[in-house]
């Protein structure tokens, strides 16, 4: 593995057709591409020990976030060229509100997925997460 990852992140993100593709996992961070179909969502989640940076390359979305699963007190409408940071411990969801796939990339710190992870669909991602939680 090379020490430094380089690539045209905008082109890679726009060309991605999978729900989740992990591009690079390092010791302290992870770069992942996502494509969310119209009306689709990442799904309500929280990362207790992970900060997450997200940038939208194309499409539009609504972000819902808050301190608890049943207290999503913040709502933000975002679109192409917008970025946002979700601090560790924040419940959040990203919902595609447009009529085209939402193309974004995210950086997790520390990493959240195994190197080489690819989930073609949200259903694949959900199944993998259920299997991971069953092992822990």
């Amino acid at each position: 593995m090379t020490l430094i990852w380089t690539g045209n992140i905008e082109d890679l993100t726009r060309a991605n057709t999978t729900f989740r593709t992990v591009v690079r996992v390092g010791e302290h961070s992870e770069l992942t591409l996502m494509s969310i179909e119209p009306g689709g969502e990442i799904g309500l989640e929280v990362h207790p020990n992970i900060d997450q940076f997200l940038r939208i390359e194309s499409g539009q979305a609504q972000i819902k976030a808050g301190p608890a699963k049943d207290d999503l007190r913040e709502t933000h409408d975002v679109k192409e060229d917008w970025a946002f940071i979700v601090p560790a411990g924040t419940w959040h969801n990203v919902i595609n509100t447009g009529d085209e796939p939402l193309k974004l990339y995210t950086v997790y710190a520390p990493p959240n997925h195994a190197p080489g992870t690819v989930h073609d669909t949200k259903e694949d991602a959900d199944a993998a997460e259920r299997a991971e939680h069953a092992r822990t």
Side-chain angles (χ1 to χ4, degrees):
M1 177 169 67
T2 61
L3 296 175
I4 297 173
W5 178 88
T6 61
N8 184 324
I9 193 65
E10 183 176 355
D11 287 350
L12 289 170
T13 303
R14 288 175 179 267
N16 176 50
T17 59
T18 66
F19 179 76
R20 176 183 295 123
T21 294
V22 175
V23 174
R24 173 77 157 76
V25 175
E27 185 176 348
H28 301 286
S29 65
E30 166 193 329
L31 173 62
T32 297
L33 309 176
M34 296 189 80
S35 179
I36 302 167
E37 292 301 313
E41 60 185 53
I42 288 176
L44 185 59
E45 61 184 5
V46 64
H47 307 295
N49 302 307
I50 295 171
D51 286 340
Q52 188 177 10
F53 167 89
L54 301 98
R55 177 178 157 87
I56 298 173
E57 289 297 339
S58 68
Q60 63 187 40
Q62 185 174 77
I63 306 160
K64 295 183 178 194
K69 189 176 189 173
D70 59 354
D71 185 7
L72 303 178
R73 59 181 71 168
E74 289 188 30
T75 300
H76 303 273
D77 293 316
V78 293
K79 59 185 178 179
E80 183 173 320
D81 295 331
W82 284 57
F84 48 102
I85 296 172
V86 180
T90 302
W91 282 90
H92 60 283
N93 195 1
V94 178
I95 304 157
N96 182 344
T97 57
D99 56 5
E100 63 184 59
L102 177 67
K103 305 288 186 146
L104 63 89
Y105 66 88
T106 181
V107 176
Y108 297 91
N112 194 45
H113 300 99
T117 297
V118 175
H119 297 134
D120 288 325
T121 65
K122 181 173 184 335
E123 291 76 21
D124 293 342
D126 290 344
E129 186 172 311
R130 282 190 303 276
E132 177 65 26
H133 288 298
R135 286 192 295 269
T136 58

